Amino acid sequence: MQNASFLPVAFEVIQLAGALLVLLVGVIAGKQRRVWAPIAGVTFLASAGAGVLQWRAVSEGSGGFFFSTQELEIMRSPMVVMDGLSAFAAIVLGLVGFVALLGSWDLVASLGKRSSEFVALTLLAVAGLHMMTVTPNLVVIFIGLETASISFYVLAGFIRGSRKSDESALKYFLLGSLASAMFLYGVALTFAATGSLSIYGVNSIRDFFSITIITEPGILLAGLALMFVGLFFKISAAPFHQWAPDVYQGAPSGAVGLMAAGVKIAGFAALARIFIGGFVSQTDVWVPIVAVVAAISMIVGTTMALVQTDLKRLLAYSGVAHSGYLLAAMVGGIRGIPPMWFYVSTYAFMIVGAFTIVSVVCGPASTAAPIDSFKGLAKRSPEMGWLLAIIMFGMSGMPFFAGFVGKVFAFVVAGEAGYMWLVVIGTLTTVVGFAFYLRVVSGIFSSGDDDDREIDPSLSARFAIVISAVATVLFGIVPWPLLDVVREALPF
Amino acid sequence: MSLTVTWFLLLGAALFSIGVAGVLIRRNALVMFMSIELMLNAVTLTFVAVSKDLGLIEGQVAAVFVMVVAAAEVTIGLAIIVAVFRTRSSANVDELAEMKG
Amino acid sequence: MTDLLWLVVALPLLGAVINLLFGKRIGEPISGWLAFGFVAISWAIAVPATLSFVTGSGHTETIYLFSWIPAIGVDAAILWDPLSALMTMIVTGIGSLIHLYSIGYMRGDERYPRFFAFMNLFIASMMILVLAANYAVMFVGWELVGLSSYLLISFWFTKPSAAAAGKKAFIVNRIGDWGFIVALMIIFISFGTFDFHTVFASAPTAITVGTATAITLLLFVGAAGKSAQLPLHIWLPDAMEGPTPVSALIHAATMVTAGVFMIARSAVLFEMAPVAGAIVAVVGTATALLAALIAISQTDIKKVLAYSTISQLGYMVLGVGVGAYTAGIFHLTTHAFFKALLFLGAGSVIHAMADEQDMRKMGGLRKNMPITFITMGAAWLAISGIFPFSGFWSKDEILAATFAKGGGFILLWGVGLLVALLTAFYMTRLFVMTFLGKPRWSGDVQPHESPATMTIPLVVLGFFTVSVGLINTPVRLAFEHFLESSFEGVAHIEALTFGSFSILATVALVVAVVGIAWAWPKYNTDELPAEDGKFWQRSLLAFGVDEIYGRTIVAPGKKASEWAADSMDPKVIDGAAHGIGRGISGFGSVLGKMQTGQVRGYAGVLAVAGAILIIVFVVVGGGF
Amino acid sequence: MPVLSILIVLPLVGAIVVGLLPRHRTELVYPIALAMSIPPLAAALHILWYFNAGDASFQFGEHIVLVESFGISWTLAVDGISLFMVVLTALLFPISIAASHSITDRAKTYMVLMLILETGVLGVFLSLDLFVFFAFFEIVLIPMYLLISMWGSENRAYASLKFVLFTAVGSAFLLASIVALGVLTGEQLGTLVNFDFRNMLSVEFSSTTELALFVGFAIAFAIKIPLFPFHTWLPDAHTEAPTAGSVILAGVLLKMGTYGFLRFNLTLFPQAAVDLAIPLAILGVIGIVYGAAVAIVQPDIKRLIAYSSVSHMGFIVLGTFALTTQGLSGSVVLMISHGLTTGALFLLIGMVYERTHTRKIADYGGLAKVMPVYAGIFLFSAFASAGLPGLSGFIGEFTILIGAYLSLPVLTIIAGSGVILAAIYLLWAYERVFTGPVTNSKLEGLKDLGFREVAILAPLIVLIIGIGVYPKPVFDRVEPSVEIILDRIEAETEFEVPEFARVSDLVDIDYEAEREVSDHDDGEEG
């Protein structure tokens, strides 16, 4: 083990430690949730802090590859890489995790004894998510993916005795496992083709031996395709998205935010890591295909969202569309990574904020959120009404809200790559998006007749929503600080 | 006709496909899950075969990891299936369609 | 002298603004006197500058005021030549008399200051029209007189008919204005300027006869609107809904003659387009005839005068159409006096009869209103064309010029004579029914002579009605010399010999006398003759022109608008938009059908999509 | 001093100040919001005053690179075209805010939205970076959407959504075109992407690319204007919007479309502009006639004025695509004028609506008897809208008609019929609302306009007359800017502007010489 150091894996270590501590304290302290609240919070913030340290180290030039298994540097089969991509992912995941935990605190509070499990799973999931971004080794990516997924399966079904929650968990589990298996088979085929589990393997081996051991290029391509399938599934790109609405709807509202946000962050970071940072020579193959998937996602996501009557499902479908826009950024290759980061990190805050509001309005354990229940929200709670409106505007891609910058930059890089047709589809589906986001906004400001109970969200939920909304507006009006940062958030 | 690695790869592919078919065809959640386990085993087979063929250790390490992950999935999966069975007293996934559209 | 001419426009405008803003505070008689004062001062300012033309010391000049629309090279500028001087005199002169008259006539009206504000606005607008040094500024005046006309016709807006009449006047005028605007477009594309001097100077070389014909015909469309020529004559009779001084000033003496003035102003262009001139002449004659035929049956005293005005305008248009610009303008001048007098006299009668306008309920007013009776008598003889009243001279000149053109114009001359006969007939009918015979009014009406502010203008106008014709007789062509420089470069019609002129004049005079002799005994009876033949009925309804327009233009137009508003917009355009929306959500619903909720279905899609992805990857990547 | 940035930020500062007012001090909202709308006006007047007339180039320029890797910069400047749009915006906002006295429900939010809207609109007219331009172009939707959907009348949900979706469809094409254009510009510059308007001028396109981009821009602006057949959102939006919303919508938001045509379509894509001038002018003319015809039969006075806007905006499009100096500068003048006259009309309708709560023409009659001052001002505005000479509308329409005839004679003759139809719908509406006897007992005893209401209308009236009587200062500033558009079109394409289509072509009238000639003639005769 050369280059062994704590920092590159600090995020995972802190998260795991935090998770263990929470479980331990949970056993000891029983129902005293207040005890682990600070532990979990500190864990997330410490993880984000570790991310900042990683970022500093990277910008000082001490990033690089760690935990290599081979002496031969050129073979490069390191287990961990510390670069802009992983460091930024750490920061974002830490912060999003923190905010999401705040947002789900109402749910945690209602869980009683099991709440420590919930928090620990959250911490574990985020650890797994970051693991997907921090390694060039495909198997480690798989392990991270499974760590996160398995945690999420449980979180989705966390409400005991709820038919919908169970259904959600089982669907997520069966389909998720299927997709994971496909991803893993992709890894195996890639291994078969290149003889390496590293994303750099295919190139480095070729460089070193001046020959290729790839006997059948089809095997490598099939492997890549299967890895795409697995990741497309995770980021819920159409047509691999069908699980998302059902799972989001059935899962407790307080838990969905993290599921939706975290998987997107890690999924896209992993896509960027594997296909933009790694298999460079296959770019010509996957770019047009990703463009097509992006287009399908945009179209399917927006049109389906248009006909939804449940806000959770609507957000799920809109997430499909957002994946489409993010994939449009991917089409731009390395140039697309900063827009992708900007987009996905702001989206993460928005979606966490949105689901937190859902959990505030419809209850943290709710498995349904009819849009009608948001009618007259501004009257019941002007604050919540406006915050939801801001988040909706942000998601719809209105300028001076964060969604705009990411989306348009994604279009720009797609345009640069020559995919103008994708840009046109993107802008047009954005309009369809206005239709359903504004339907929600209309409802907020209309005079709701049946329900005028005042809504008084808990401090933590309020805090989570306000942070999301502030981020939405702030990065919309003053995007450059974040843009400057994400410009460096690239894989090696 | 010697037993080259290609045969193992083909066997892996066949097992994987059978697994996928199982997921698609069977209605029982438990059997579906077993099909997924079959897929994972197909992967393991592929890993090991390639690893042996190329004389690399990674593939075998990967195989071990896959088994661990599969084990983890089993525990969670069974728990979920049991939970579903409790609320619906059925593990038939076709009845599991309250949420759609 | 000419340096102050801008005040001729500015003063009435100032008067209008003052009365509009502070009229209520100024109060009843003073605001009227104020308005009168502004117009009178305008007149006074213009007098010396006009006299300089008479004495021969004046010369045509253009006074630049300021650059108005630089993009099309339009400056606010005044063209001061004999023609505009004459018009200025008529407008401000008769205008101030009518202002004076109105001070008494409008007494007690609750919107008294407003009335004078509008009147002043009219004078200012008319002066812009008259003094304009280019077509664009002329068009400004052209439109603004339309505005004042609208405001004044519907002055008593609580009467729906008055409001409708004002609207009708403005809209019909706008139809004419469309022609004017198109003419302006062609003028600009041909000359690059609207300046009269430049246009007329370069017209013979710059444009073809075809272009000139187009311009002049379109200008005539505008003139037809303003001067109530066929087929746009329908607004003028309705315009009588306005207060009578308005009818006198705007719808008899000044504004309606703007069309004639405009044609005279564009004489150079009309000279280049003989076809257009002929069409103008024919339309003028037809208008004169039709209006006269309608006038003979009307029972409303103002309606008679209104149709008579249309008829006389037809004469003027005939005059300028045949190229007798001086004659046309001469008739314009004389008509301004006697028609204003007729209207003011009619107003005086209406005033005295407690707002009764039906001549069948008048009669025998001679004794009650001697001044009105005498002055109106003069006007009656003038319009009928009796020697030596002013109408005789001017009408004759037009008829003579028409005759002199020869060819088909002889026919027009014949129709003109017929109109002269009819004119004499219906004016006699009016005069006799009103002032002679037995009183037919009910007991509670106490007719009385009007106050001095009203009778003084009558007398002054009466004086001119008698005398003004003498300024241009075949013996002494002062008027023609006066206007000479305005019609420079326009070919003169070959003057008839004195002998043939005398013969024509005699014929006309005989016709007029016949007309009077025919009508006098018919109506100077105790019992009014029954006028209930088919002809009379149709004539009374103005031959149903309004109704025809309503059926053929207004109703289909409204139907088309309604179709657009009720079908095109909501059904076709919005229908398409909604259709797209429905299409998208329909597509969403169809996709939603695939979202069955069945895990196995999802897994199937996942597997199939994955398989497709593998195949595509391998194919695109060249794996096969 | 970055005047333009200050101008853009001032309303936003105002919005923040209003937003921070304590919740219970509702009585402060109106005066503070009004006060906060004055500084932008002052800044706009400052710009107007120090603007160098006769200078065709962009003035008061500011340029700060925002995102270098994406070629985005904060580039602001005014020229003769945007100058007046900015001043119009800065003027109409204080007026609309002043006219919103009756808004008591969530007044603070309302005022904040108004001020944010102002920032957005100013940004549209000042930005020369297309990315920033688009951001402002699009952001305007939100406050307007909320204004309609929160303070609108019965059918507001439908109308506000229709407004957003129609416009957003256009924006979709606009954004795609801007992205493509930015990429092309970047390629030309050797960087990756660039959105600076000034750099775009040097881009060479293939003819299909140019056509596609032109169409992309044109769809967006055509919907915004709105050009037939994209106009159906406008009547609904106007009808449902609160008074101030209608004023701003008609006064400045629609101008964003015509401004976009002038600034971007004509300048960036000269060849396509020449090729597509006639189809677009045809749509403009259809709009003129169609809008006016539909206006005639509208039963709702606000809808009527909305359709009249369609008609007027058709004139502007016709003038724009006539590609003559007169047409273009007339378009700019008509944009200003339409903002003033239609603004005044909507304010007036709002004032009477506050009293009667009905917009149905049939509910009125004889109003002039009850509210004479109101009737007078209404009639004045109606005539100004109908293009009465001496008022601002005429200057624009007349200049457009004269200028458009030079290149599109047949269309212009048809367009001329718009003046007839305008008289019909306005006067007929006036007749039904104001004249005749008072038929509706609800109208009796209505109070005439008060001092505050007259004061709100006064600046508009003064400007309508001022521009109508002496428009030269406007033309002096607009003409150089539109002439360089034509210069560019002539340089880039084979198009040649017709004779007299430039001010320098016009016949110079020498009044002194005329006098001498006449003297000479007189002398000869004498």
Side-chain angles (χ1 to χ4, degrees), chain A residues 229-251:
Chain A
V229 171
L231 291 173
F232 280 156
F233 177 87
K234 291 293 161 198
I235 61 170
S236 65
F240 310 96
H241 66 285
Q242 285 181 305
W243 60 275
D246 293 4
V247 171
Y248 283 11
Q249 189 190 351

PDB file of all heavy atoms in Angstrom, chain A residues 229-251:
ATOM      1  N   VAL A 229     -26.731   0.736 -18.325  1.00  0.00           N
ATOM      2  CA  VAL A 229     -28.067   0.346 -17.886  1.00  0.00           C
ATOM      3  C   VAL A 229     -28.182   0.510 -16.381  1.00  0.00           C
ATOM      4  O   VAL A 229     -29.130   1.104 -15.864  1.00  0.00           O
ATOM      5  CB  VAL A 229     -28.379  -1.106 -18.301  1.00  0.00           C
ATOM      6  CG1 VAL A 229     -29.666  -1.581 -17.650  1.00  0.00           C
ATOM      7  CG2 VAL A 229     -28.478  -1.217 -19.804  1.00  0.00           C
ATOM      8  N   GLY A 230     -27.166  -0.005 -15.680  1.00  0.00           N
ATOM      9  CA  GLY A 230     -27.224   0.087 -14.224  1.00  0.00           C
ATOM     10  C   GLY A 230     -27.285   1.514 -13.742  1.00  0.00           C
ATOM     11  O   GLY A 230     -28.100   1.865 -12.863  1.00  0.00           O
ATOM     12  N   LEU A 231     -26.458   2.358 -14.322  1.00  0.00           N
ATOM     13  CA  LEU A 231     -26.448   3.752 -13.847  1.00  0.00           C
ATOM     14  C   LEU A 231     -27.675   4.520 -14.328  1.00  0.00           C
ATOM     15  O   LEU A 231     -28.216   5.357 -13.614  1.00  0.00           O
ATOM     16  CB  LEU A 231     -25.150   4.432 -14.285  1.00  0.00           C
ATOM     17  CG  LEU A 231     -23.917   3.883 -13.547  1.00  0.00           C
ATOM     18  CD1 LEU A 231     -22.641   4.445 -14.123  1.00  0.00           C
ATOM     19  CD2 LEU A 231     -23.998   4.182 -12.057  1.00  0.00           C
ATOM     20  N   PHE A 232     -28.090   4.257 -15.556  1.00  0.00           N
ATOM     21  CA  PHE A 232     -29.330   4.886 -16.045  1.00  0.00           C
ATOM     22  C   PHE A 232     -30.481   4.561 -15.107  1.00  0.00           C
ATOM     23  O   PHE A 232     -31.330   5.396 -14.812  1.00  0.00           O
ATOM     24  CB  PHE A 232     -29.677   4.398 -17.457  1.00  0.00           C
ATOM     25  CG  PHE A 232     -28.896   5.077 -18.552  1.00  0.00           C
ATOM     26  CD1 PHE A 232     -28.722   4.448 -19.782  1.00  0.00           C
ATOM     27  CD2 PHE A 232     -28.346   6.339 -18.371  1.00  0.00           C
ATOM     28  CE1 PHE A 232     -28.019   5.061 -20.799  1.00  0.00           C
ATOM     29  CE2 PHE A 232     -27.641   6.951 -19.404  1.00  0.00           C
ATOM     30  CZ  PHE A 232     -27.469   6.307 -20.606  1.00  0.00           C
ATOM     31  N   PHE A 233     -30.476   3.320 -14.660  1.00  0.00           N
ATOM     32  CA  PHE A 233     -31.530   2.937 -13.729  1.00  0.00           C
ATOM     33  C   PHE A 233     -31.454   3.778 -12.460  1.00  0.00           C
ATOM     34  O   PHE A 233     -32.449   4.319 -11.983  1.00  0.00           O
ATOM     35  CB  PHE A 233     -31.387   1.453 -13.382  1.00  0.00           C
ATOM     36  CG  PHE A 233     -32.387   0.979 -12.363  1.00  0.00           C
ATOM     37  CD1 PHE A 233     -33.632   0.537 -12.759  1.00  0.00           C
ATOM     38  CD2 PHE A 233     -32.079   0.991 -11.007  1.00  0.00           C
ATOM     39  CE1 PHE A 233     -34.557   0.115 -11.818  1.00  0.00           C
ATOM     40  CE2 PHE A 233     -33.001   0.569 -10.068  1.00  0.00           C
ATOM     41  CZ  PHE A 233     -34.245   0.135 -10.482  1.00  0.00           C
ATOM     42  N   LYS A 234     -30.248   3.908 -11.932  1.00  0.00           N
ATOM     43  CA  LYS A 234     -30.118   4.635 -10.666  1.00  0.00           C
ATOM     44  C   LYS A 234     -30.532   6.095 -10.812  1.00  0.00           C
ATOM     45  O   LYS A 234     -31.162   6.671  -9.930  1.00  0.00           O
ATOM     46  CB  LYS A 234     -28.673   4.560 -10.163  1.00  0.00           C
ATOM     47  CG  LYS A 234     -28.264   3.188  -9.704  1.00  0.00           C
ATOM     48  CD  LYS A 234     -29.024   2.794  -8.447  1.00  0.00           C
ATOM     49  CE  LYS A 234     -28.955   1.276  -8.267  1.00  0.00           C
ATOM     50  NZ  LYS A 234     -29.973   0.777  -7.356  1.00  0.00           N
ATOM     51  N   ILE A 235     -30.118   6.701 -11.917  1.00  0.00           N
ATOM     52  CA  ILE A 235     -30.476   8.112 -12.093  1.00  0.00           C
ATOM     53  C   ILE A 235     -31.869   8.257 -12.686  1.00  0.00           C
ATOM     54  O   ILE A 235     -32.309   9.365 -12.973  1.00  0.00           O
ATOM     55  CB  ILE A 235     -29.463   8.841 -12.997  1.00  0.00           C
ATOM     56  CG1 ILE A 235     -29.429   8.202 -14.378  1.00  0.00           C
ATOM     57  CG2 ILE A 235     -28.084   8.843 -12.349  1.00  0.00           C
ATOM     58  CD1 ILE A 235     -28.656   9.005 -15.384  1.00  0.00           C
ATOM     59  N   SER A 236     -32.539   7.150 -12.869  1.00  0.00           N
ATOM     60  CA  SER A 236     -33.886   7.095 -13.437  1.00  0.00           C
ATOM     61  C   SER A 236     -34.003   7.860 -14.757  1.00  0.00           C
ATOM     62  O   SER A 236     -34.806   8.771 -14.913  1.00  0.00           O
ATOM     63  CB  SER A 236     -34.945   7.599 -12.436  1.00  0.00           C
ATOM     64  OG  SER A 236     -34.782   8.941 -12.137  1.00  0.00           O
ATOM     65  N   ALA A 237     -33.138   7.446 -15.682  1.00  0.00           N
ATOM     66  CA  ALA A 237     -33.278   7.967 -17.040  1.00  0.00           C
ATOM     67  C   ALA A 237     -34.224   7.062 -17.800  1.00  0.00           C
ATOM     68  O   ALA A 237     -34.180   5.848 -17.635  1.00  0.00           O
ATOM     69  CB  ALA A 237     -31.914   8.008 -17.724  1.00  0.00           C
ATOM     70  N   ALA A 238     -35.105   7.668 -18.590  1.00  0.00           N
ATOM     71  CA  ALA A 238     -36.048   6.851 -19.357  1.00  0.00           C
ATOM     72  C   ALA A 238     -35.287   6.094 -20.433  1.00  0.00           C
ATOM     73  O   ALA A 238     -34.334   6.614 -20.992  1.00  0.00           O
ATOM     74  CB  ALA A 238     -37.103   7.750 -19.998  1.00  0.00           C
ATOM     75  N   PRO A 239     -35.647   4.901 -20.769  1.00  0.00           N
ATOM     76  CA  PRO A 239     -36.789   4.132 -20.263  1.00  0.00           C
ATOM     77  C   PRO A 239     -36.450   3.242 -19.056  1.00  0.00           C
ATOM     78  O   PRO A 239     -37.059   2.198 -18.898  1.00  0.00           O
ATOM     79  CB  PRO A 239     -37.154   3.296 -21.476  1.00  0.00           C
ATOM     80  CG  PRO A 239     -35.851   3.053 -22.173  1.00  0.00           C
ATOM     81  CD  PRO A 239     -34.945   4.192 -21.851  1.00  0.00           C
ATOM     82  N   PHE A 240     -35.497   3.634 -18.272  1.00  0.00           N
ATOM     83  CA  PHE A 240     -35.119   2.818 -17.107  1.00  0.00           C
ATOM     84  C   PHE A 240     -35.664   3.433 -15.812  1.00  0.00           C
ATOM     85  O   PHE A 240     -35.150   3.234 -14.741  1.00  0.00           O
ATOM     86  CB  PHE A 240     -33.590   2.727 -17.025  1.00  0.00           C
ATOM     87  CG  PHE A 240     -32.947   2.317 -18.312  1.00  0.00           C
ATOM     88  CD1 PHE A 240     -32.437   3.250 -19.193  1.00  0.00           C
ATOM     89  CD2 PHE A 240     -32.887   0.976 -18.664  1.00  0.00           C
ATOM     90  CE1 PHE A 240     -31.871   2.870 -20.388  1.00  0.00           C
ATOM     91  CE2 PHE A 240     -32.319   0.592 -19.863  1.00  0.00           C
ATOM     92  CZ  PHE A 240     -31.804   1.534 -20.725  1.00  0.00           C
ATOM     93  N   HIS A 241     -36.725   4.206 -15.959  1.00  0.00           N
ATOM     94  CA  HIS A 241     -37.155   5.071 -14.874  1.00  0.00           C
ATOM     95  C   HIS A 241     -38.360   4.563 -14.128  1.00  0.00           C
ATOM     96  O   HIS A 241     -38.784   5.151 -13.167  1.00  0.00           O
ATOM     97  CB  HIS A 241     -37.572   6.397 -15.484  1.00  0.00           C
ATOM     98  CG  HIS A 241     -38.795   6.264 -16.356  1.00  0.00           C
ATOM     99  ND1 HIS A 241     -38.721   5.696 -17.611  1.00  0.00           N
ATOM    100  CD2 HIS A 241     -40.094   6.549 -16.138  1.00  0.00           C
ATOM    101  CE1 HIS A 241     -39.924   5.660 -18.132  1.00  0.00           C
ATOM    102  NE2 HIS A 241     -40.785   6.165 -17.254  1.00  0.00           N
ATOM    103  N   GLN A 242     -38.963   3.478 -14.615  1.00  0.00           N
ATOM    104  CA  GLN A 242     -40.331   3.208 -14.183  1.00  0.00           C
ATOM    105  C   GLN A 242     -40.471   2.975 -12.690  1.00  0.00           C
ATOM    106  O   GLN A 242     -41.528   3.178 -12.124  1.00  0.00           O
ATOM    107  CB  GLN A 242     -40.888   2.011 -14.960  1.00  0.00           C
ATOM    108  CG  GLN A 242     -41.237   2.396 -16.379  1.00  0.00           C
ATOM    109  CD  GLN A 242     -41.805   1.233 -17.142  1.00  0.00           C
ATOM    110  OE1 GLN A 242     -41.187   0.183 -17.231  1.00  0.00           O
ATOM    111  NE2 GLN A 242     -42.983   1.406 -17.689  1.00  0.00           N
ATOM    112  N   TRP A 243     -39.387   2.562 -12.068  1.00  0.00           N
ATOM    113  CA  TRP A 243     -39.460   2.325 -10.623  1.00  0.00           C
ATOM    114  C   TRP A 243     -39.674   3.630  -9.859  1.00  0.00           C
ATOM    115  O   TRP A 243     -40.320   3.651  -8.809  1.00  0.00           O
ATOM    116  CB  TRP A 243     -38.163   1.679 -10.137  1.00  0.00           C
ATOM    117  CG  TRP A 243     -36.945   2.540 -10.387  1.00  0.00           C
ATOM    118  CD1 TRP A 243     -36.216   2.608 -11.513  1.00  0.00           C
ATOM    119  CD2 TRP A 243     -36.358   3.457  -9.470  1.00  0.00           C
ATOM    120  NE1 TRP A 243     -35.198   3.502 -11.388  1.00  0.00           N
ATOM    121  CE2 TRP A 243     -35.263   4.053 -10.133  1.00  0.00           C
ATOM    122  CE3 TRP A 243     -36.630   3.842  -8.144  1.00  0.00           C
ATOM    123  CZ2 TRP A 243     -34.440   5.016  -9.518  1.00  0.00           C
ATOM    124  CZ3 TRP A 243     -35.818   4.797  -7.553  1.00  0.00           C
ATOM    125  CH2 TRP A 243     -34.731   5.379  -8.239  1.00  0.00           C
ATOM    126  N   ALA A 244     -39.115   4.725 -10.393  1.00  0.00           N
ATOM    127  CA  ALA A 244     -38.975   5.936  -9.591  1.00  0.00           C
ATOM    128  C   ALA A 244     -40.305   6.460  -9.042  1.00  0.00           C
ATOM    129  O   ALA A 244     -40.440   6.670  -7.835  1.00  0.00           O
ATOM    130  CB  ALA A 244     -38.237   6.994 -10.382  1.00  0.00           C
ATOM    131  N   PRO A 245     -41.302   6.674  -9.902  1.00  0.00           N
ATOM    132  CA  PRO A 245     -42.541   7.245  -9.355  1.00  0.00           C
ATOM    133  C   PRO A 245     -43.174   6.362  -8.290  1.00  0.00           C
ATOM    134  O   PRO A 245     -43.619   6.874  -7.252  1.00  0.00           O
ATOM    135  CB  PRO A 245     -43.457   7.378 -10.573  1.00  0.00           C
ATOM    136  CG  PRO A 245     -42.770   6.738 -11.702  1.00  0.00           C
ATOM    137  CD  PRO A 245     -41.352   6.568 -11.361  1.00  0.00           C
ATOM    138  N   ASP A 246     -43.203   5.066  -8.551  1.00  0.00           N
ATOM    139  CA  ASP A 246     -43.838   4.176  -7.579  1.00  0.00           C
ATOM    140  C   ASP A 246     -43.076   4.180  -6.263  1.00  0.00           C
ATOM    141  O   ASP A 246     -43.664   4.220  -5.178  1.00  0.00           O
ATOM    142  CB  ASP A 246     -43.908   2.746  -8.142  1.00  0.00           C
ATOM    143  CG  ASP A 246     -44.853   2.657  -9.325  1.00  0.00           C
ATOM    144  OD1 ASP A 246     -45.373   3.720  -9.717  1.00  0.00           O
ATOM    145  OD2 ASP A 246     -45.066   1.556  -9.850  1.00  0.00           O
ATOM    146  N   VAL A 247     -41.752   4.149  -6.376  1.00  0.00           N
ATOM    147  CA  VAL A 247     -40.957   4.105  -5.155  1.00  0.00           C
ATOM    148  C   VAL A 247     -41.064   5.423  -4.398  1.00  0.00           C
ATOM    149  O   VAL A 247     -41.267   5.448  -3.186  1.00  0.00           O
ATOM    150  CB  VAL A 247     -39.492   3.784  -5.492  1.00  0.00           C
ATOM    151  CG1 VAL A 247     -38.614   3.960  -4.272  1.00  0.00           C
ATOM    152  CG2 VAL A 247     -39.379   2.372  -6.039  1.00  0.00           C
ATOM    153  N   TYR A 248     -40.962   6.525  -5.129  1.00  0.00           N
ATOM    154  CA  TYR A 248     -41.019   7.831  -4.468  1.00  0.00           C
ATOM    155  C   TYR A 248     -42.358   8.009  -3.767  1.00  0.00           C
ATOM    156  O   TYR A 248     -42.440   8.558  -2.683  1.00  0.00           O
ATOM    157  CB  TYR A 248     -40.835   8.969  -5.471  1.00  0.00           C
ATOM    158  CG  TYR A 248     -39.402   9.174  -5.920  1.00  0.00           C
ATOM    159  CD1 TYR A 248     -38.420   8.254  -5.617  1.00  0.00           C
ATOM    160  CD2 TYR A 248     -39.057  10.303  -6.644  1.00  0.00           C
ATOM    161  CE1 TYR A 248     -37.117   8.437  -6.042  1.00  0.00           C
ATOM    162  CE2 TYR A 248     -37.758  10.501  -7.063  1.00  0.00           C
ATOM    163  CZ  TYR A 248     -36.797   9.569  -6.772  1.00  0.00           C
ATOM    164  OH  TYR A 248     -35.524   9.756  -7.180  1.00  0.00           O
ATOM    165  N   GLN A 249     -43.399   7.534  -4.453  1.00  0.00           N
ATOM    166  CA  GLN A 249     -44.714   7.741  -3.863  1.00  0.00           C
ATOM    167  C   GLN A 249     -44.902   6.906  -2.606  1.00  0.00           C
ATOM    168  O   GLN A 249     -45.417   7.371  -1.607  1.00  0.00           O
ATOM    169  CB  GLN A 249     -45.811   7.401  -4.877  1.00  0.00           C
ATOM    170  CG  GLN A 249     -47.186   7.815  -4.388  1.00  0.00           C
ATOM    171  CD  GLN A 249     -48.295   7.276  -5.259  1.00  0.00           C
ATOM    172  OE1 GLN A 249     -48.041   6.727  -6.322  1.00  0.00           O
ATOM    173  NE2 GLN A 249     -49.509   7.458  -4.812  1.00  0.00           N
ATOM    174  N   GLY A 250     -44.427   5.667  -2.682  1.00  0.00           N
ATOM    175  CA  GLY A 250     -44.685   4.770  -1.572  1.00  0.00           C
ATOM    176  C   GLY A 250     -43.745   4.984  -0.400  1.00  0.00           C
ATOM    177  O   GLY A 250     -44.098   4.693   0.738  1.00  0.00           O
ATOM    178  N   ALA A 251     -42.578   5.497  -0.683  1.00  0.00           N
ATOM    179  CA  ALA A 251     -41.624   5.696   0.399  1.00  0.00           C
ATOM    180  C   ALA A 251     -42.091   6.842   1.276  1.00  0.00           C
ATOM    181  O   ALA A 251     -42.770   7.754   0.815  1.00  0.00           O
ATOM    182  CB  ALA A 251     -40.255   6.003  -0.182  1.00  0.00           C
TER     183      ALA A 251
END
